[in-house]
Amino acid sequence: MSKVFYLQPDGVEKVIEGTDGESVMTTAVKNGVRGIVGQCGGALSCATCHVFLAEDELDNFSAPSEDEDDMLDCAATDREPNSRLSCQLLLREGSDIHVTIPSSQL
Amino acid sequence: MTTIDQPLADTAYPFLPVEPSEAARRYAAICADRPMTKMTMPIGGDAWIIHRNSTARAMLGDPRFVREPFRTGERTVPYFMEFPEFLKSTIQFEDPPHHTKLRRLVQKSISPKRVRGMRDSAVKFANELIDEMVAKGSPSNLVEDYSIALPIQMLANLLGVPPEDRPKFESWSASTLSVANMAPEQIAANMGELVQYMTALIEERRREPREDLLSDLANARDKDDTLTDAEIIPIALILIIGGFDNTANFIGQGVLSLFNNQDQLAVLLEDVDTVAPTAVEEILRHAAWEIGNPVAGMGALVPFVATEDVDLEGQLVAKGEAIMIDPNGANHDAIAMAEPATFDVRRADNPHLTLSFGLHHCLGAPLARMELQVAITELFRRLPGLRQDGPVVINYDNLTQPITSLPVAW
């Protein structure tokens, strides 16, 4: 079990205890976290699960693939150096994840 | 959900048209009872129809469901009607890896970011249309004067149709519209001319690229592969047919459903800019149930075939079986959302599947959402006193039952 901390642009935070192996996107969608749409279901073809990953957690994940990198350029809110598609961030035992949700996904 | 003082809802599926409130009761009961029902389709034999929202998402997100046997003609598409041949050559019948290649190429040109860049011109054009309506004076037919014109202009912009060719492009494209109600041979002739025109335009953009979708596609290179005209034309056509017709219908249905729910119209008018985004999602989910028509318990998005035995929330779908989702069910599943029968323009949690989900989710979703938001916002911002001014005309002969006339005054 690990926890995902979802910070909304208005400062409201929601903490979800997720299932290891599932993505930050799936965990959000299943638990009704606002602002993560995930319309393509993780097929890397919609850019609607964009998040900003906590700077000190960037190294906990492998760098974005070429496809993820391409799709980040398509996101509705401009990408930052810590931008990720949350469908590519998988929960791992004992390692909490902190993400900030952008102001717009659509 | 069943309460003590209500009789149990009928869980038979499919069901004939009933009042929307009764349809909602039945869908809630069906979704509580089982994830899907097997039925014999009017064309193409047996198929599973998914009702539950979560089951629909699970299937749409599972790569073990494909469309290849339909594309190759090995199998007839099980559906309510004969599936048009040309649609089978489009991206929605492709599977990975070819689907991935096509989708990626188009996706960039119609991404949330690109669409955001088109928003200003949509606002400007919507206001020009409203200016014309105001100058002519009320009443006005909203379908003709507004809901058809806006999406077609956006599409011409996106594709890169030059302004001097817009009238031709509009009349060819409009013939594909269900609201146009044209004879089949006339539609075929117009489609032929449209394809010819697009082919010439692609050739031109290949020689001299500009900042538009056709240029992107004409010059797209995916590793060493280039897209052929035979690949580009169906993409352009599916955008024209899928995008334009559906968007025009949703604008009409959206406005009428607001007229029919004055309390919700009042909520929207209090703060149009803030409420429009959730109002649009609610229109996508539920407006078709609020335009005064009975609702039938049938209808589905394009089917898939299982490539192996798959357990979907307790139901075994055997290898080779066809399966599809009924968006009406998934959009009125009381397990997935609160009070699905209520039209609530501020609904915050709205997991509707009108634009589908997964690999084949609507390619034009970002554009459709932006156009609908702009259409609703500008119309009610400029004309807050807008009201219905005469009987609405709906074409019941067409599968999508479009509104062909919506008289309005202000």
Side-chain angles (χ1 to χ4, degrees), chain B residues 143-387:
Chain B
V143 176
E144 256 175 37
D145 294 341
Y146 193 67
S147 49
I148 288 184
L150 184 64
I152 206 152
Q153 173 78 10
M154 288 297 103
L155 211 59
N157 255 349
L158 177 81
L159 288 170
V161 175
E164 63 272 21
D165 295 340
R166 296 269 160 96
K168 283 191 295 190
F169 177 79
E170 278 185 30
S171 72
W172 293 325
S173 302
S175 73
T176 67
L177 273 183
S178 50
V179 293
N181 210 10
M182 227 175 247
E185 37 305 347
Q186 209 178 344
I187 296 176
N190 276 311
M191 288 283 279
E193 286 186 54
L194 178 62
V195 167
Q196 238 175 15
Y197 172 77
M198 299 298 280
T199 309
L201 196 58
I202 290 165
E203 191 42 51
E204 212 179 297
R205 292 292 185 268
R206 201 166 267 142
R207 285 197 312 268
E208 288 172 45
R210 297 190 192 174
E211 282 276 309
D212 57 49
L213 177 60
L214 280 187
S215 299
D216 289 354
L217 293 175
N219 300 289
R221 282 183 186 280
D222 184 60
K223 301 197 170 79
D224 298 324
D225 231 345
T226 309
L227 284 184
T228 63
D229 287 5
E231 288 174 310
I232 300 171
I233 294 277
I235 292 176
L237 288 183
I238 197 107
L239 282 170
I240 292 170
I241 296 162
F244 169 31
D245 196 6
N246 288 327
T247 314
N249 283 346
F250 282 127
I251 295 172
Q253 284 183 355
V255 171
L256 183 55
S257 58
L258 286 162
F259 288 157
N260 289 346
N261 289 272
Q262 287 293 323
D263 60 324
Q264 293 300 304
L265 180 55
V267 171
L268 177 75
L269 289 173
E270 264 169 36
D271 187 356
V272 176
D273 288 315
T274 311
V275 181
T278 49
V280 163
E281 297 306 307
E282 188 67 342
I283 285 167
L284 286 167
R285 183 187 76 86
H286 184 68
W289 289 36
E290 294 291 339
I291 59 173
N293 281 339
V295 174
M298 56 186 253
L301 301 181
V302 185
F304 292 83
V305 173
T307 55
E308 57 181 85
D309 289 359
V310 181
D311 183 291
L312 279 178
E313 302 196 340
Q315 175 63 57
L316 173 75
V317 179
K319 178 180 177 178
E321 285 189 316
I323 188 163
M324 61 195 105
I325 77 154
D326 176 359
N328 260 337
N331 290 350
H332 296 84
D333 173 1
I335 305 167
M337 67 199 73
E339 298 187 46
T342 306
F343 184 64
D344 174 5
V345 293
R346 279 187 178 275
R347 186 181 290 276
D349 187 15
N350 190 344
H352 73 78
L353 290 175
T354 305
L355 303 177
S356 195
F357 176 80
L359 201 58
H360 289 280
H361 79 271
C362 172
L363 188 58
L367 183 62
R369 286 195 157 102
M370 181 275 279
E371 285 176 21
L372 290 170
Q373 286 175 13
V374 167
I376 297 292
T377 306
E378 297 310 310
L379 187 64
F380 286 104
R381 199 176 53 76
R382 289 281 307 277
L383 307 172
L386 197 76
R387 62 181 192 278

Side-chain angles (χ1 to χ4, degrees), chain B residues 132-140 408 410:
Chain B
E132 284 169 29
M133 279 166 58
V134 170
K136 245 179 13 184
S138 66
S140 155
V408 293
W410 51 89

